[in-house]
Structures are given as structure tokens and as C-alpha cells.
């Protein structure tokens, strides 16, 4: 897999039926290794190892319903009180992050109401703080969590 713009982490892999799977620390199972999953797993390790976020506060790939459409978010980090601190959208490294990517995460956040957003393709990372009062997001250099 492609080298990403994250620190180096140790991953567990499994080869089954000529397909490689990577162990997900949150879901506690092996997941088929796709380019997007490679980014998602790096992001999970970055959150738990570098940002020191408890695995117990992280949720991965859960279904949400937005305007009668079934969607699936990539990563959510909860606050201790049950509110959502961070919503993360992961894309494969070959996927360019565009305004549409930000529209996608903003649509999800209308329902989830996370304080912070992160969009990453593993190469480029974007961090935002939500300003709900003015209905906008403010770009940050890093996550203050």
C-alpha cells in the first residue's frame, strides 16, 4: 500500500483467499484492505496513539439516515457525555478532496452535530471547527483534541 502522510504505525495483517485484511482496533476484527481502509486505519492509529483518544470513545463505519437516504460515516469520536466531538471522512489516496467532500461531511454533520470535522485522503488532512451559530466551518491547522 501507498505511504501516507501519517507517522509509521504497526498494523496486523491477514491473508485469506488471496486477499489481504487489516486488523481494526475499534471493530476488533480483520477488514478487507482497500485504499480507503488503509487511510481509515492510519487515522484510527493517529487518533489513538498521537491524539491519545480512548478507543472506547471511537466508533467506525456506522449507518445513519439522512433525508431517507442510508449513509455510512467513517469515524466518529464521542465526548464523555455522549455528544460527538469529531466526525472524520476518509477517502482513498487517489481521491482528490474537493468542495463536494466537504458538502458530504457537512450533510452528515447536520444530523451528528460534531464540534470538529476532519477530511483526509491520507496525503492531505483538513481540520475544521464548527461554528453552528453562523452555519460555517473554520479551518484549523490541527485538531485541538
Amino acid at each position: 500500500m501507498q505511504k501516507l502522510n501519517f507517522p509509521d504505525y504497526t498494523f496486523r495483517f491477514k491473508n485469506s483467499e488471496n486477499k489481504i485484511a487489516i486488523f481494526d482496533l475499534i471493530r476488533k476484527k480483520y477488514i478487507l484492505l482497500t485504499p480507503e481502509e488503509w487511510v481509515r486505519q492510519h487515522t484510527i492509529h493517529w487518533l489513538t496513539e498521537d491524539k491519545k483518544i480512548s478507543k472506547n470513545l471511537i466508533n467506525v463505519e456506522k449507518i445513519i439516515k439522512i433525508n431517507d437516504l442510508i449513509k455510512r460515516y467513517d469515524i466518529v469520536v464521542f465526548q464523555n457525555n455522549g455528544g460527538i466531538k469529531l466526525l472524520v471522512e476518509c477517502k482513498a489516496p487517489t481521491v482528490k478532496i474537493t468542495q463536494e467532500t466537504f458538502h458530504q461531511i457537512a450533510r452528515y454533520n447536520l444530523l451528528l452535530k460534531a464540534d470538529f470535522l476532519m477530511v483526509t485522503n491520507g496525503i492531505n488532512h483538513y481540520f475544521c471547527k464548527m461554528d453552528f451559530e453562523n452555519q460555517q466551518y473554520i479551518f484549523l491547522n490541527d485538531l485541538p483534541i
Side-chain angles (χ1 to χ4, degrees):
M1 280 283 161
Q2 179 177 346
K3 172 84 173 107
L4 302 178
N5 187 16
F6 282 103
D8 290 329
Y9 300 112
T10 302
F11 296 101
R12 292 175 20 207
F13 298 97
K14 178 172 82 170
N15 192 335
S16 178
E17 300 176 20
N18 291 326
K19 293 183 179 170
I20 298 173
I22 188 168
F23 188 77
D24 183 304
L25 299 171
I26 306 305
R27 293 177 275 186
K28 296 183 172 78
K29 64 180 182 178
Y30 284 92
I31 307 295
L32 181 65
L33 183 58
T34 63
E36 182 178 323
E37 192 63 44
W38 185 235
V39 173
R40 187 178 299 112
Q41 292 307 314
H42 274 79
T43 305
I44 290 169
H45 281 260
W46 179 74
L47 290 169
T48 57
E49 294 178 35
D50 293 278
K51 292 297 185 178
K52 307 296 184 207
I53 295 171
S54 168
K55 290 185 267 189
N56 297 331
L57 295 175
I58 300 175
N59 206 305
V60 177
E61 283 213 306
K62 294 294 181 189
I63 291 174
I64 56 175
K65 192 173 181 180
I66 301 172
N67 299 328
D68 294 327
L69 297 174
I70 302 298
K71 300 292 183 182
R72 186 183 304 263
Y73 63 71
D74 283 309
I75 301 170
V76 158
V77 175
F78 289 96
Q79 299 172 25
N80 288 326
N81 67 8
I84 298 177
K85 181 177 284 230
L86 172 67
L87 171 62
V88 181
E89 178 63 29
C90 299
K91 298 294 186 190
T94 56
V95 175
K96 187 175 182 193
I97 295 175
T98 63
Q99 188 61 47
E100 179 51 39
T101 312
F102 285 97
H103 289 320
Q104 177 187 0
I105 198 169
R107 281 190 302 272
Y108 291 5
N109 207 38
L110 286 173
L111 177 68
L112 298 173
K113 305 269 192 263
D115 295 331
F116 296 94
L117 306 177
M118 176 181 178
V119 176
T120 181
N121 63 4
I123 307 301
N124 299 301
H125 316 300
Y126 298 93
F127 310 105
C128 305
K129 179 180 185 348
M130 292 305 303
D131 177 355
F132 290 106
E133 189 175 310
N134 296 308
Q135 297 184 337
Q136 64 183 12
Y137 35 84
I138 301 158
F139 283 91
L140 307 170
N141 291 327
D142 192 8
L143 287 176
I145 56 176

